[in-house]
Amino acid sequence: MASVVGVGIAIGLIGIGIIAMLVAGVKSFSSGKQDVKRILTMVVPFAVFGVIYAIAGDLTDAAIGTMLFMLAAMVLFMLLSGLRSSFNL
């Protein structure tokens, strides 16, 4: 019984933390402290997850697909930035 209560409290605290981060993000965006490019960078994994979840219909497959997509994007951008600095483009 104590473990159920502990898990419930932990989930509640995580929810409160997420809500606080969203409120702080909206407040800083409305005051002009955040750049749109930074916000879009943070939204990309959630959008990818949503698209893959809509296609696959399973949370596990969507999570693994999102991880693989983000890893591939990271490798691609590292390769492109390395080529860019090598050829001074």
Side-chain angles (χ1 to χ4, degrees):
M1 178 68 178
S3 62
V4 174
V5 172
V7 169
I9 291 172
I11 290 173
L13 289 174
I14 290 170
I16 291 170
I18 290 172
I19 290 170
M21 286 188 287
L22 287 173
V23 168
V26 168
K27 184 179 175 184
S28 66
F29 179 70
S30 65
S31 67
K33 292 181 182 178
Q34 291 296 326
D35 187 21
V36 175
K37 288 188 283 185
R38 289 183 183 183
I39 294 172
L40 290 177
T41 302
M42 295 303 294
V43 170
V44 168
F46 296 103
V48 170
F49 179 82
V51 169
I52 295 175
Y53 180 67
I55 293 170
D58 185 33
L59 288 175
T60 307
D61 291 342
I64 292 172
T66 303
M67 180 195 66
L68 292 175
F69 177 83
M70 297 306 292
L71 284 172
M74 179 189 66
V75 168
L76 177 68
F77 286 129
M78 286 173 58
L79 178 69
L80 290 175
S81 68
L83 287 174
R84 183 176 174 189
S85 65
S86 295
F87 295 114
N88 293 327
L89 297 175

